[in-house]
Amino acid sequence: QLQIVESGGGLVQPGDSLRLSCVVSGDTLDSYVIGWFRQAPGKEREGVSCIRGAGLSLGYANSVKGRATISRDRGKNTVYLQMNNLKPEDTAVYYCALASGSGTCTSTNAFTVGRYDDWGQGTQVTVSS
């Protein structure tokens, strides 16, 4: 059974950086697409970034492009999301999710919530001065 645990969130000021971690146990990440999503109060869950394999396929939402970097540590079975120059509109609960099967992070459904089968509990990111 897959277990997904996110960490690294917190309260930061605008312009600060955070690195979110997603540790997965129960299977290796080799055959999954791993996505980062976020959900702000009163809003729908939206995709932020995606990685498949060792990084041969990457994807970023326009809202974070240029400020976010997704990466994977195979030995630790962990995916990271580095977020720089954080803005108040980045405030949300950030979730890590896994999608099995084929597919890439450049396909039209890369950030489709229903594509992902397993989800973590999320980590809160609050950006405020």
mmCIF file of all heavy atoms in Angstrom, residues 81-118:
data_model
loop_
_atom_site.group_PDB
_atom_site.id
_atom_site.type_symbol
_atom_site.label_atom_id
_atom_site.label_comp_id
_atom_site.label_asym_id
_atom_site.label_seq_id
_atom_site.Cartn_x
_atom_site.Cartn_y
_atom_site.Cartn_z
ATOM 1 N N LEU A 81 9.762 19.915 -4.304
ATOM 2 C CA LEU A 81 9.293 21.090 -5.046
ATOM 3 C C LEU A 81 9.925 22.310 -4.393
ATOM 4 O O LEU A 81 9.577 22.674 -3.269
ATOM 5 C CB LEU A 81 7.772 21.201 -5.014
ATOM 6 C CG LEU A 81 7.211 22.392 -5.780
ATOM 7 C CD1 LEU A 81 7.445 22.213 -7.285
ATOM 8 C CD2 LEU A 81 5.721 22.567 -5.506
ATOM 9 N N GLN A 82 10.879 22.899 -5.079
ATOM 10 C CA GLN A 82 11.519 24.124 -4.624
ATOM 11 C C GLN A 82 10.722 25.310 -5.154
ATOM 12 O O GLN A 82 10.523 25.432 -6.368
ATOM 13 C CB GLN A 82 12.961 24.195 -5.136
ATOM 14 C CG GLN A 82 13.697 25.474 -4.805
ATOM 15 C CD GLN A 82 14.075 25.576 -3.343
ATOM 16 O OE1 GLN A 82 14.454 24.585 -2.719
ATOM 17 N NE2 GLN A 82 13.978 26.776 -2.792
ATOM 18 N N MET A 83 10.259 26.131 -4.260
ATOM 19 C CA MET A 83 9.480 27.311 -4.632
ATOM 20 C C MET A 83 10.244 28.551 -4.204
ATOM 21 O O MET A 83 10.585 28.709 -3.029
ATOM 22 C CB MET A 83 8.111 27.282 -3.953
ATOM 23 C CG MET A 83 7.225 26.143 -4.403
ATOM 24 S SD MET A 83 6.430 26.480 -5.980
ATOM 25 C CE MET A 83 5.325 27.813 -5.531
ATOM 26 N N ASN A 84 10.524 29.438 -5.147
ATOM 27 C CA ASN A 84 11.239 30.677 -4.878
ATOM 28 C C ASN A 84 10.338 31.884 -5.117
ATOM 29 O O ASN A 84 9.314 31.778 -5.792
ATOM 30 C CB ASN A 84 12.472 30.775 -5.780
ATOM 31 C CG ASN A 84 13.436 29.626 -5.561
ATOM 32 O OD1 ASN A 84 13.647 29.168 -4.434
ATOM 33 N ND2 ASN A 84 14.045 29.145 -6.646
ATOM 34 N N ASN A 85 10.756 33.008 -4.572
ATOM 35 C CA ASN A 85 10.011 34.263 -4.763
ATOM 36 C C ASN A 85 8.515 34.045 -4.509
ATOM 37 O O ASN A 85 7.668 34.378 -5.338
ATOM 38 C CB ASN A 85 10.252 34.804 -6.174
ATOM 39 C CG ASN A 85 9.698 36.196 -6.361
ATOM 40 O OD1 ASN A 85 9.541 36.939 -5.393
ATOM 41 N ND2 ASN A 85 9.410 36.550 -7.596
ATOM 42 N N LEU A 86 8.228 33.491 -3.340
ATOM 43 C CA LEU A 86 6.840 33.163 -3.023
ATOM 44 C C LEU A 86 5.981 34.412 -2.927
ATOM 45 O O LEU A 86 6.437 35.482 -2.484
ATOM 46 C CB LEU A 86 6.783 32.370 -1.721
ATOM 47 C CG LEU A 86 7.210 30.901 -1.871
ATOM 48 C CD1 LEU A 86 7.621 30.318 -0.534
ATOM 49 C CD2 LEU A 86 6.090 30.091 -2.500
ATOM 50 N N LYS A 87 4.734 34.269 -3.341
ATOM 51 C CA LYS A 87 3.773 35.366 -3.358
ATOM 52 C C LYS A 87 2.577 35.001 -2.483
ATOM 53 O O LYS A 87 2.302 33.810 -2.275
ATOM 54 C CB LYS A 87 3.301 35.606 -4.800
ATOM 55 C CG LYS A 87 4.424 35.866 -5.778
ATOM 56 C CD LYS A 87 3.890 35.982 -7.198
ATOM 57 C CE LYS A 87 5.018 36.219 -8.186
ATOM 58 N NZ LYS A 87 4.519 36.353 -9.584
ATOM 59 N N PRO A 88 1.847 36.002 -2.020
ATOM 60 C CA PRO A 88 0.652 35.686 -1.207
ATOM 61 C C PRO A 88 -0.318 34.746 -1.918
ATOM 62 O O PRO A 88 -0.954 33.910 -1.265
ATOM 63 C CB PRO A 88 0.037 37.068 -0.968
ATOM 64 C CG PRO A 88 1.207 38.002 -0.986
ATOM 65 C CD PRO A 88 2.123 37.444 -2.048
ATOM 66 N N GLU A 89 -0.400 34.844 -3.222
ATOM 67 C CA GLU A 89 -1.313 33.974 -3.966
ATOM 68 C C GLU A 89 -0.834 32.530 -4.040
ATOM 69 O O GLU A 89 -1.550 31.654 -4.547
ATOM 70 C CB GLU A 89 -1.554 34.510 -5.387
ATOM 71 C CG GLU A 89 -0.300 34.821 -6.166
ATOM 72 C CD GLU A 89 0.081 36.301 -6.103
ATOM 73 O OE1 GLU A 89 -0.019 36.902 -5.007
ATOM 74 O OE2 GLU A 89 0.502 36.840 -7.151
ATOM 75 N N ASP A 90 0.354 32.249 -3.540
ATOM 76 C CA ASP A 90 0.832 30.869 -3.435
ATOM 77 C C ASP A 90 0.318 30.182 -2.174
ATOM 78 O O ASP A 90 0.542 28.982 -1.987
ATOM 79 C CB ASP A 90 2.364 30.823 -3.430
ATOM 80 C CG ASP A 90 2.973 31.264 -4.747
ATOM 81 O OD1 ASP A 90 2.455 30.875 -5.813
ATOM 82 O OD2 ASP A 90 3.995 31.995 -4.701
ATOM 83 N N THR A 91 -0.358 30.945 -1.322
ATOM 84 C CA THR A 91 -0.890 30.373 -0.090
ATOM 85 C C THR A 91 -1.922 29.292 -0.404
ATOM 86 O O THR A 91 -2.892 29.541 -1.114
ATOM 87 C CB THR A 91 -1.527 31.476 0.768
ATOM 88 O OG1 THR A 91 -0.499 32.394 1.176
ATOM 89 C CG2 THR A 91 -2.208 30.891 1.996
ATOM 90 N N ALA A 92 -1.691 28.102 0.139
ATOM 91 C CA ALA A 92 -2.569 26.967 -0.133
ATOM 92 C C ALA A 92 -2.054 25.752 0.633
ATOM 93 O O ALA A 92 -0.938 25.768 1.176
ATOM 94 C CB ALA A 92 -2.598 26.645 -1.628
ATOM 95 N N VAL A 93 -2.866 24.718 0.639
ATOM 96 C CA VAL A 93 -2.381 23.405 1.062
ATOM 97 C C VAL A 93 -1.805 22.726 -0.176
ATOM 98 O O VAL A 93 -2.465 22.662 -1.213
ATOM 99 C CB VAL A 93 -3.498 22.547 1.674
ATOM 100 C CG1 VAL A 93 -2.958 21.161 2.049
ATOM 101 C CG2 VAL A 93 -4.091 23.243 2.901
ATOM 102 N N TYR A 94 -0.587 22.243 -0.048
ATOM 103 C CA TYR A 94 0.102 21.610 -1.168
ATOM 104 C C TYR A 94 0.061 20.097 -0.993
ATOM 105 O O TYR A 94 0.413 19.571 0.063
ATOM 106 C CB TYR A 94 1.544 22.102 -1.260
ATOM 107 C CG TYR A 94 1.636 23.491 -1.858
ATOM 108 C CD1 TYR A 94 1.182 24.600 -1.155
ATOM 109 C CD2 TYR A 94 2.150 23.685 -3.140
ATOM 110 C CE1 TYR A 94 1.246 25.872 -1.711
ATOM 111 C CE2 TYR A 94 2.223 24.948 -3.703
ATOM 112 C CZ TYR A 94 1.766 26.036 -2.975
ATOM 113 O OH TYR A 94 1.820 27.300 -3.533
ATOM 114 N N TYR A 95 -0.368 19.421 -2.054
ATOM 115 C CA TYR A 95 -0.520 17.970 -2.039
ATOM 116 C C TYR A 95 0.416 17.324 -3.056
ATOM 117 O O TYR A 95 0.632 17.857 -4.153
ATOM 118 C CB TYR A 95 -1.947 17.575 -2.401
ATOM 119 C CG TYR A 95 -2.995 18.070 -1.456
ATOM 120 C CD1 TYR A 95 -3.627 19.287 -1.667
ATOM 121 C CD2 TYR A 95 -3.373 17.307 -0.355
ATOM 122 C CE1 TYR A 95 -4.606 19.742 -0.802
ATOM 123 C CE2 TYR A 95 -4.353 17.757 0.522
ATOM 124 C CZ TYR A 95 -4.959 18.981 0.285
ATOM 125 O OH TYR A 95 -5.931 19.418 1.143
ATOM 126 N N CYS A 96 0.886 16.147 -2.706
ATOM 127 C CA CYS A 96 1.641 15.306 -3.615
ATOM 128 C C CYS A 96 0.741 14.137 -4.018
ATOM 129 O O CYS A 96 0.012 13.588 -3.187
ATOM 130 C CB CYS A 96 2.904 14.793 -2.908
ATOM 131 S SG CYS A 96 3.957 13.737 -3.897
ATOM 132 N N ALA A 97 0.791 13.764 -5.287
ATOM 133 C CA ALA A 97 -0.082 12.699 -5.780
ATOM 134 C C ALA A 97 0.646 11.854 -6.801
ATOM 135 O O ALA A 97 1.553 12.335 -7.494
ATOM 136 C CB ALA A 97 -1.344 13.301 -6.389
ATOM 137 N N LEU A 98 0.217 10.608 -6.916
ATOM 138 C CA LEU A 98 0.837 9.680 -7.853
ATOM 139 C C LEU A 98 -0.186 9.171 -8.862
ATOM 140 O O LEU A 98 -1.321 8.844 -8.496
ATOM 141 C CB LEU A 98 1.420 8.479 -7.105
ATOM 142 C CG LEU A 98 2.870 8.578 -6.628
ATOM 143 C CD1 LEU A 98 3.072 9.731 -5.672
ATOM 144 C CD2 LEU A 98 3.300 7.264 -6.004
ATOM 145 N N ALA A 99 0.257 9.081 -10.107
ATOM 146 C CA ALA A 99 -0.553 8.513 -11.171
ATOM 147 C C ALA A 99 0.203 7.334 -11.776
ATOM 148 O O ALA A 99 1.364 7.488 -12.180
ATOM 149 C CB ALA A 99 -0.853 9.556 -12.238
ATOM 150 N N SER A 100 -0.425 6.185 -11.831
ATOM 151 C CA SER A 100 0.211 5.001 -12.403
ATOM 152 C C SER A 100 -0.022 4.955 -13.907
ATOM 153 O O SER A 100 -0.807 5.722 -14.454
ATOM 154 C CB SER A 100 -0.334 3.735 -11.743
ATOM 155 O OG SER A 100 -1.734 3.666 -11.915
ATOM 156 N N GLY A 101 0.692 4.045 -14.560
ATOM 157 C CA GLY A 101 0.506 3.877 -15.992
ATOM 158 C C GLY A 101 1.372 4.808 -16.812
ATOM 159 O O GLY A 101 2.245 5.496 -16.297
ATOM 160 N N SER A 102 1.117 4.795 -18.114
ATOM 161 C CA SER A 102 1.906 5.624 -19.023
ATOM 162 C C SER A 102 1.428 7.068 -18.961
ATOM 163 O O SER A 102 0.446 7.384 -18.320
ATOM 164 C CB SER A 102 1.785 5.085 -20.446
ATOM 165 O OG SER A 102 0.449 5.132 -20.872
ATOM 166 N N GLY A 103 2.123 7.902 -19.622
ATOM 167 C CA GLY A 103 1.744 9.308 -19.635
ATOM 168 C C GLY A 103 2.920 10.176 -19.271
ATOM 169 O O GLY A 103 3.879 9.718 -18.637
ATOM 170 N N THR A 104 2.857 11.401 -19.663
ATOM 171 C CA THR A 104 3.952 12.329 -19.407
ATOM 172 C C THR A 104 3.432 13.568 -18.716
ATOM 173 O O THR A 104 2.234 13.714 -18.484
ATOM 174 C CB THR A 104 4.641 12.729 -20.718
ATOM 175 O OG1 THR A 104 3.729 13.546 -21.465
ATOM 176 C CG2 THR A 104 5.014 11.510 -21.549
ATOM 177 N N CYS A 105 4.341 14.472 -18.413
ATOM 178 C CA CYS A 105 3.981 15.724 -17.783
ATOM 179 C C CYS A 105 3.722 16.824 -18.801
ATOM 180 O O CYS A 105 3.513 17.973 -18.426
ATOM 181 C CB CYS A 105 5.075 16.162 -16.816
ATOM 182 S SG CYS A 105 5.193 15.091 -15.382
ATOM 183 N N THR A 106 3.749 16.476 -20.065
ATOM 184 C CA THR A 106 3.433 17.454 -21.094
ATOM 185 C C THR A 106 2.113 17.136 -21.798
ATOM 186 O O THR A 106 1.702 17.874 -22.687
ATOM 187 C CB THR A 106 4.559 17.509 -22.143
ATOM 188 O OG1 THR A 106 4.775 16.197 -22.673
ATOM 189 C CG2 THR A 106 5.850 18.019 -21.524
ATOM 190 N N SER A 107 1.469 16.076 -21.369
ATOM 191 C CA SER A 107 0.179 15.734 -21.959
ATOM 192 C C SER A 107 -0.896 16.672 -21.438
ATOM 193 O O SER A 107 -0.721 17.340 -20.416
ATOM 194 C CB SER A 107 -0.182 14.278 -21.646
ATOM 195 O OG SER A 107 -0.237 14.079 -20.255
ATOM 196 N N THR A 108 -2.004 16.715 -22.140
ATOM 197 C CA THR A 108 -3.058 17.658 -21.774
ATOM 198 C C THR A 108 -3.675 17.350 -20.421
ATOM 199 O O THR A 108 -4.246 18.232 -19.782
ATOM 200 C CB THR A 108 -4.153 17.663 -22.838
ATOM 201 O OG1 THR A 108 -4.639 16.322 -23.021
ATOM 202 C CG2 THR A 108 -3.631 18.201 -24.166
ATOM 203 N N ASN A 109 -3.547 16.101 -19.965
ATOM 204 C CA ASN A 109 -4.123 15.749 -18.666
ATOM 205 C C ASN A 109 -3.079 15.704 -17.565
ATOM 206 O O ASN A 109 -3.309 15.115 -16.517
ATOM 207 C CB ASN A 109 -4.860 14.406 -18.752
ATOM 208 C CG ASN A 109 -3.915 13.244 -19.014
ATOM 209 O OD1 ASN A 109 -2.767 13.446 -19.405
ATOM 210 N ND2 ASN A 109 -4.395 12.031 -18.795
ATOM 211 N N ALA A 110 -1.943 16.336 -17.785
ATOM 212 C CA ALA A 110 -0.872 16.282 -16.787
ATOM 213 C C ALA A 110 -1.332 16.784 -15.424
ATOM 214 O O ALA A 110 -0.896 16.278 -14.397
ATOM 215 C CB ALA A 110 0.326 17.102 -17.265
ATOM 216 N N PHE A 111 -2.212 17.774 -15.399
ATOM 217 C CA PHE A 111 -2.676 18.358 -14.140
ATOM 218 C C PHE A 111 -4.154 18.093 -13.900
ATOM 219 O O PHE A 111 -4.824 18.858 -13.214
ATOM 220 C CB PHE A 111 -2.387 19.853 -14.132
ATOM 221 C CG PHE A 111 -0.924 20.194 -14.110
ATOM 222 C CD1 PHE A 111 -0.429 21.232 -14.887
ATOM 223 C CD2 PHE A 111 -0.039 19.482 -13.326
ATOM 224 C CE1 PHE A 111 0.932 21.554 -14.872
ATOM 225 C CE2 PHE A 111 1.317 19.788 -13.304
ATOM 226 C CZ PHE A 111 1.798 20.826 -14.082
ATOM 227 N N THR A 112 -4.651 17.009 -14.461
ATOM 228 C CA THR A 112 -6.029 16.615 -14.211
ATOM 229 C C THR A 112 -6.097 15.838 -12.912
ATOM 230 O O THR A 112 -5.468 14.793 -12.773
ATOM 231 C CB THR A 112 -6.562 15.757 -15.374
ATOM 232 O OG1 THR A 112 -6.516 16.525 -16.583
ATOM 233 C CG2 THR A 112 -7.986 15.318 -15.110
ATOM 234 N N VAL A 113 -6.854 16.347 -11.962
ATOM 235 C CA VAL A 113 -6.912 15.736 -10.636
ATOM 236 C C VAL A 113 -7.314 14.269 -10.718
ATOM 237 O O VAL A 113 -6.748 13.407 -10.048
ATOM 238 C CB VAL A 113 -7.874 16.525 -9.729
ATOM 239 C CG1 VAL A 113 -8.109 15.786 -8.425
ATOM 240 C CG2 VAL A 113 -7.330 17.922 -9.450
ATOM 241 N N GLY A 114 -8.286 13.950 -11.548
ATOM 242 C CA GLY A 114 -8.803 12.593 -11.652
ATOM 243 C C GLY A 114 -7.819 11.588 -12.210
ATOM 244 O O GLY A 114 -8.031 10.379 -12.090
ATOM 245 N N ARG A 115 -6.747 12.052 -12.794
ATOM 246 C CA ARG A 115 -5.725 11.156 -13.331
ATOM 247 C C ARG A 115 -4.924 10.495 -12.216
ATOM 248 O O ARG A 115 -4.330 9.450 -12.404
ATOM 249 C CB ARG A 115 -4.790 11.956 -14.242
ATOM 250 C CG ARG A 115 -3.621 11.177 -14.813
ATOM 251 C CD ARG A 115 -2.647 12.111 -15.493
ATOM 252 N NE ARG A 115 -1.528 11.403 -16.105
ATOM 253 C CZ ARG A 115 -0.444 12.001 -16.586
ATOM 254 N NH1 ARG A 115 -0.351 13.314 -16.555
ATOM 255 N NH2 ARG A 115 0.523 11.289 -17.117
ATOM 256 N N TYR A 116 -4.885 11.141 -11.061
ATOM 257 C CA TYR A 116 -4.023 10.708 -9.969
ATOM 258 C C TYR A 116 -4.791 9.816 -8.998
ATOM 259 O O TYR A 116 -5.910 10.134 -8.594
ATOM 260 C CB TYR A 116 -3.431 11.933 -9.263
ATOM 261 C CG TYR A 116 -2.449 12.663 -10.146
ATOM 262 C CD1 TYR A 116 -2.889 13.524 -11.143
ATOM 263 C CD2 TYR A 116 -1.079 12.452 -10.013
ATOM 264 C CE1 TYR A 116 -1.984 14.170 -11.991
ATOM 265 C CE2 TYR A 116 -0.169 13.094 -10.844
ATOM 266 C CZ TYR A 116 -0.634 13.942 -11.831
ATOM 267 O OH TYR A 116 0.255 14.578 -12.668
ATOM 268 N N ASP A 117 -4.150 8.699 -8.632
ATOM 269 C CA ASP A 117 -4.821 7.669 -7.853
ATOM 270 C C ASP A 117 -4.581 7.775 -6.348
ATOM 271 O O ASP A 117 -5.439 7.392 -5.547
ATOM 272 C CB ASP A 117 -4.331 6.282 -8.311
ATOM 273 C CG ASP A 117 -4.435 6.102 -9.810
ATOM 274 O OD1 ASP A 117 -5.559 6.234 -10.339
ATOM 275 O OD2 ASP A 117 -3.403 5.843 -10.459
ATOM 276 N N ASP A 118 -3.419 8.252 -5.979
ATOM 277 C CA ASP A 118 -3.029 8.251 -4.563
ATOM 278 C C ASP A 118 -2.558 9.636 -4.164
ATOM 279 O O ASP A 118 -1.767 10.256 -4.881
ATOM 280 C CB ASP A 118 -1.919 7.231 -4.323
ATOM 281 C CG ASP A 118 -2.366 5.803 -4.624
ATOM 282 O OD1 ASP A 118 -2.990 5.196 -3.748
ATOM 283 O OD2 ASP A 118 -2.108 5.325 -5.744
#
